Amino acid sequence: KSIRKELPFVIYYDLKDFTDITLNERTYIQGVIDLFIVTSNGENIIIDFKTDKVENEDELIKKYDTQLEIYKKGIELSLKEKVSGMYIYSFHLDKLIKV
């Protein structure tokens, strides 16, 4: 239905939801989502491209799952829509990885 590349977002959110910080502080978090797709079924999909040289997909998931959760929260807060899928595309592994 639609494809958005380099989609910027800014959210004002609790730090403790994404980090080990126990302070009750909010901050602005900004980012750029590589690829955001809305399918014909209305599903919202985030794809983040990575060039890291890794041995397996688990390394990428462990390293970037928090980043993708922030992207998900950015979409859900700004568009008032649920994200139904998050993926990493690894150029090194030549593989689309579900997170």
Side-chain angles (χ1 to χ4, degrees), residues 15-17 19-24:
L15 284 174
K16 65 183 179 180
D17 290 341
T19 66
D20 294 333
I21 295 173
T22 56
L23 299 173
N24 287 326

Side-chain angles (χ1 to χ4, degrees), residues 65-77:
D65 65 334
T66 300
Q67 176 187 350
L68 285 165
E69 285 296 328
I70 291 170
Y71 287 0
K72 176 181 177 184
K73 187 58 71 178
I75 290 292
E76 291 179 346
L77 288 173

Side-chain angles (χ1 to χ4, degrees), residues 14-77:
D14 291 324
L15 284 174
K16 65 183 179 180
D17 290 341
F18 296 116
T19 66
D20 294 333
I21 295 173
T22 56
L23 299 173
N24 287 326
E25 290 190 26
R26 294 173 68 86
T27 190
Y28 286 99
I29 301 171
Q30 67 180 20
V32 177
I33 299 168
D34 291 337
L35 189 61
F36 177 65
I37 300 169
V38 179
T39 69
S40 58
N41 297 336
E43 295 181 86
N44 297 309
I45 309 291
I46 294 170
I47 300 176
D48 196 42
F49 299 106
K50 298 297 180 195
T51 58
D52 303 45
K53 293 185 177 169
V54 294
E55 296 295 319
N56 60 59
E57 58 191 63
D58 292 332
E59 289 181 56
L60 287 172
I61 293 170
K62 184 177 178 181
K63 187 173 180 180
Y64 294 109
D65 65 334
T66 300
Q67 176 187 350
L68 285 165
E69 285 296 328
I70 291 170
Y71 287 0
K72 176 181 177 184
K73 187 58 71 178
I75 290 292
E76 291 179 346
L77 288 173

